Amino acid sequence: MSDSGYLTFIKHNAPFLATGALLSFLSSFGQTFFISIFGGEIRESYGLTNGEWGVIYMIGTGASAAVMVFAGGLADRFRVRQLGITVVLLLGLSCLLMAFNPIAAALPFVVFVLRFFGQGMTTHVATVAMARWFVATRGRALAVAAMGFMLGEATLPLFMVWLKSHIDWHLIWVGCALFCVAMAPVLYGFLRLERTPQSVADEDQSTGLFGKHWTRADALRHPLFWAMAPAVMSFSGFGTAFWFHQVHFAEVKGWSHLALVAVFPLGTITLFASTILFGWLVDRLGAVRLLPFYLIPYVAAFILHWYAPSLGWTAVAIILMGAAGGGQATLLNACWAEFFGTLHLGSIKAATTALMVLGSALGPGVSGWLIDQGIGFEVQMLGYAATFAIAALLLLYPVALARRSAAAA
């Protein structure tokens, strides 16, 4: 699609696309790249080691993954205007809990609510809405919505690292809470003329493979779902581990934290371009054909993180991570709809979101424990790269199954 075509698409669907983008941006407050900015202050305030903080993060995030399995189905029952605004307000309350929590024992719960309402439900509502509201232009819609997350990833780390050198980090979390509250009426304004959810208009639902409306039980019983699970979990798990331990990574490499986060926008620029490209390719070629390839840049990126003798090499790795991120933001979310249809997409996507959140729980916890055991974070990068390569090979099965479905049709 040409630039003018993209702009026309955005103009004609602006309120709905803005909803997805705003929800994606607000999810930043529960994303690892944001929480990890305060990792040093949190460990210092509560007297935690890297491993202890990693375990706390794993417990809280793991609990949010478990709850997501059940709560994610709410997207099939409630309009985005109701569910999205409620989730954003609860995310604001979660930010206040981080600001005012006095004891380390409560940190698992604080992490739980931040991750559940931020990374979990806010992202879930945004992607389900885009996949359900748009069919022929699903890839482009997901790409535009993902720009909100990109904006947060590009601007917030550098800004917050600078800001916390001037004001107390607790006050920053209060500001995040107030921002969430301020955005609730903005969301309501975008959705005054909300599209009718396809969960209400069943006749508008698109089917999945073999012309079937898959239920969550159908999906979980089929090898297709589990062939994709390693890609979902490893991407979120080990990508999260890198962002979570960014302060430690900078220390190991001998760089300042500010110098490291200064190269993060390069990855976001690449993520922006990659997401636009993948969105266009999904609508043109279909998501399934592209599926086995999007993890390859992640393999190269983590090998470079292991090697990186200078910040320039890590900058290249960050750029490669952004290239793969465009596929993660568009391909997977489009594939769930192509594979399983949209009738029960909310509940099925809840299971996939739970896997993603579970992966992001295990990654920081396991990597932090390994650091405490003397297994260097740099060395761990090689193991992560090998895991991505295996996950990419497993994605060949969904491609083959989709071809069988097309042949049967």
Side-chain angles (χ1 to χ4, degrees), residues 145-407:
M147 291 179 190
F149 174 80
M150 289 181 237
L151 178 63
E153 191 176 48
T155 60
L156 292 177
L158 195 59
F159 177 63
M160 291 299 166
V161 170
W162 172 83
L163 188 61
K164 70 180 183 177
S165 66
H166 293 81
I167 64 174
D168 183 73
W169 66 277
H170 298 88
L171 293 177
I172 297 176
W173 283 100
V174 174
C176 295
L178 295 175
F179 185 76
C180 288
V181 173
M183 289 302 102
V186 176
L187 278 173
Y188 186 84
F190 285 154
L191 293 173
R192 283 177 299 176
L193 299 175
E194 182 181 354
R195 291 186 176 211
T196 300
Q198 290 183 4
S199 56
V200 176
D202 287 349
E203 68 275 10
D204 292 333
Q205 297 288 356
S206 58
T207 58
L209 297 183
F210 305 105
K212 175 181 176 181
H213 290 295
W214 294 62
T215 65
R216 183 162 69 183
D218 293 332
L220 294 178
R221 284 195 296 262
H222 201 282
L224 166 64
F225 183 91
W226 300 107
M228 297 183 67
V232 175
M233 294 186 68
S234 63
F235 195 101
S236 65
F238 301 133
T240 296
F242 175 79
W243 303 119
F244 184 80
H245 293 295
Q246 59 182 262
V247 175
H248 174 74
F249 183 72
E251 291 172 353
V252 169
K253 292 291 188 179
W255 310 322
S256 71
H257 186 201
L258 188 59
L260 177 61
V261 299
V263 305
F264 288 176
L266 296 176
T268 307
I269 293 170
T270 310
L271 176 61
F272 173 82
S274 173
T275 303
I276 294 296
L277 177 61
F278 273 113
W280 177 77
L281 289 172
V282 165
D283 292 337
R284 188 176 181 87
L285 302 175
V288 179
R289 294 183 185 180
L290 306 168
L291 195 56
F293 303 106
Y294 86 95
L295 281 175
I296 294 175
Y298 239 47
V299 177
F302 278 77
I303 292 174
L304 284 179
H305 280 317
W306 161 74
Y307 170 71
S310 66
L311 190 60
W313 287 95
T314 286
V316 175
I318 294 293
I319 289 171
L320 288 170
M321 291 176 73
Q328 180 78 1
T330 55
L331 282 181
L332 286 185
N333 288 318
C335 278
W336 304 127
E338 287 190 27
F339 288 153
F340 303 124
T342 59
L343 183 60
H344 304 289
L345 183 61
S347 59
I348 293 173
K349 185 67 172 55
T352 67
T353 302
L355 285 179
M356 177 193 71
V357 177
L358 179 60
S360 67
L362 294 174
V366 172
S367 59
W369 179 79
L370 290 174
I371 290 171
D372 284 357
Q373 299 305 307
I375 300 176
F377 195 48
E378 293 170 292
V379 175
Q380 294 179 36
M381 299 295 176
L382 289 178
Y384 301 161
T387 304
F388 295 132
I390 294 170
L393 289 174
L394 289 173
L395 292 177
L396 293 173
Y397 172 72
V399 176
L401 191 67
R403 288 174 180 165
R404 282 172 47 197
S405 173

